[in-house]
Amino acid sequence: MKLDDFDFPLPPELVAQRPVTPRDTARLLQVAGGAIRDRMVRDLPALLRPGDVMVFNDTKVIPARLFGRRGLGKVEVTLHQCLGPERWRAFARPAKRLQPGDRIDFAENFSAEIAEKLDGGELTLSFSESGPDLMSALQRHGAMPLPPYIRREGGADSRDRSDYQTVYARSEGAVAAPTAGLHFTDELLAALDARGVTRATLTLHVGAGTFLPVKTERVEDHPMHGESGVVSAEAAASINEAKAKGGRVVAVGTTSLRLLETASANDGALAPFAGETKLFILPGHHFKIVDLLMTNFHLPKSTLFMLVCAFAGTDLMKRAYAHAIAEGYRFYSYGDSSLLERA
């Protein structure tokens, strides 16, 4: 498949810079049975059935963007994958002059040594703090790692600290939000409970690699960065039970979907999982467990637009995105959402 197969024109003014409030007043494009319908996120309980199971990603975004100095030069670092209590993979800029053994100082008594230099501005860092102490240092000195298409002078502000976090975030480790989940409120979750929709939770720590553009003309050649995930035995049992009783599996976000598909057997049975996924979903992928996907609107030529094309059908998704653009839907992390039925 060619990269240009997944391109579409997007007016820049449709890129959302702030979320709507309340969160569940965002628009929702329902794509099911070949039809496209305009809804609201608040309509979700009516669009789902008693016995369906919604699967949420409870990862919590950490302030993973750091500004430091190497000697007299400024360095910006964005963490993207935890390798251990004090070791992280990160993207740095400018990276050209950085070398293994160099120290980057972020604050008094808070620094990191470059343990390894990789391609594309990527480093392995070994921090002076470890475990909970490192998380505390990030809270004090780091900034929320907003996607590059959200423009802020001086980076993320105090409002982003809450806006760029789901209401059910629990497990620290993500450097990007599972953005479909940003639309949920406590009131909406209660309404889904009252409808008889069950809930299950997994964890996939979203990495900054999710924003990396595809640069290969042949999309199959694009390298996916690994992301760490956990499906507990309790969650697997809950999802398998709902599916056995005829309920549909509704993935909240592409992160939930990728982890579910990674942990599922070919017959759709979900097993407990703890490890890394590099699953790259393209048209032609055989979906094993997910029936419905709630997801925001994605970048042209992105791996996530390729995923939704694989899930609902390329022609239908191009038609759905054209409708969304014509109707002024808001795109990307702080934008509106969609509810897609598997083709």
Side-chain angles (χ1 to χ4, degrees):
M1 283 169 274
K2 300 297 184 183
L3 184 58
D4 286 343
D5 295 340
F6 302 96
D7 195 15
F8 57 88
L10 179 67
E13 62 270 19
L14 295 185
V15 178
Q17 298 299 306
R18 296 282 185 185
V20 298
T21 54
R23 295 173 179 232
D24 57 5
T25 58
R27 299 169 76 184
L28 180 78
L29 189 67
Q30 183 187 20
V31 182
I36 299 168
R37 298 179 180 89
D38 298 305
R39 310 287 195 185
M40 301 285 287
V41 170
R42 283 181 175 175
D43 296 331
L44 269 174
L47 302 177
L48 301 178
R49 306 169 189 161
D52 287 345
V53 56
M54 295 196 84
V55 185
F56 295 87
N57 182 3
D58 73 351
T59 189
K60 190 171 187 177
V61 184
I62 60 173
R65 192 179 181 200
L66 293 165
F67 300 91
R69 302 191 75 88
R70 169 194 164 271
L72 298 176
K74 295 180 179 179
V75 180
E76 178 185 331
V77 166
T78 301
L79 310 183
H80 77 86
Q81 185 182 17
C82 181
L83 301 178
E86 72 286 329
R87 290 173 73 89
W88 278 80
R89 285 275 172 83
F91 297 109
R93 61 179 188 180
K96 189 174 182 180
R97 296 183 181 179
L98 299 176
Q99 298 298 330
D102 287 350
R103 191 182 76 186
I104 304 172
D105 294 304
F106 302 109
E108 188 175 358
N109 299 321
F110 180 43
S111 63
E113 182 178 303
I114 300 173
E116 185 181 15
K117 185 174 182 180
L118 306 166
D119 294 332
E122 191 176 5
L123 309 171
T124 299
L125 297 177
S126 181
F127 281 91
S128 57
E129 304 287 347
S130 177
D133 291 336
L134 175 56
M135 288 297 115
S136 296
L138 291 176
Q139 292 293 339
R140 292 193 304 272
H141 305 296
M144 291 297 272
L146 292 179
Y149 43 76
I150 295 177
R151 296 180 294 276
R152 296 274 188 278
E153 283 191 26
D157 56 28
S158 58
R159 181 176 165 185
D160 291 308
R161 284 256 176 172
S162 58
D163 283 347
Y164 200 59
Q165 202 80 268
T166 65
V167 297
Y168 48 80
R170 297 290 181 272
S171 180
E172 287 186 328
V175 300
T179 54
L182 297 180
H183 297 291
F184 287 85
T185 62
D186 291 332
E187 293 77 13
L188 178 57
L189 292 172
L192 289 163
D193 292 343
R195 174 67 169 160
V197 175
T198 60
R199 285 190 265 154
T201 300
L202 48 72
T203 304
L204 182 72
H205 292 315
V206 192
T210 191
F211 302 125
L212 289 181
V214 179
K215 296 181 178 179
T216 57
E217 184 180 349
R218 182 176 178 271
V219 297
E220 293 90 341
D221 296 332
H222 174 72
M224 289 290 284
H225 282 75
E227 295 172 316
S228 299
V230 175
V231 180
S232 68
E234 178 185 9
S238 173
I239 295 165
N240 286 332
E241 180 182 4
K243 198 166 181 73
K245 292 180 178 178
R248 297 174 298 177
V249 176
V250 186
V252 179
T254 58
T255 60
S256 296
L257 181 145
R258 289 178 64 242
L259 187 53
L260 286 169
E261 291 295 320
T262 297
S264 296
N266 287 331
D267 63 358
L270 183 63
F273 177 89
E276 184 181 71
T277 178
K278 291 185 177 180
L279 183 61
F280 185 9
I281 296 177
L282 292 167
H285 176 84
H286 170 67
F287 288 90
K288 298 175 287 187
I289 186 169
V290 177
D291 301 296
L292 296 172
L293 170 63
M294 181 178 175
T295 184
N296 287 13
F297 292 93
H298 304 295
L299 281 165
K301 298 184 178 181
S302 66
T303 60
L304 299 180
F305 183 63
M306 295 169 196
L307 184 153
V308 298
C309 288
F311 189 79
T314 302
D315 290 342
L316 180 57
M317 286 314 301
K318 286 185 175 180
R319 186 155 57 90
Y321 270 52
H323 173 89
I325 291 167
E327 294 297 319
Y329 276 70
R330 303 165 76 246
F331 272 63
Y332 309 153
S333 297
Y334 279 156
D336 295 314
S337 197
S338 63
L339 183 66
L340 311 178
E341 182 180 71
R342 186 178 67 193

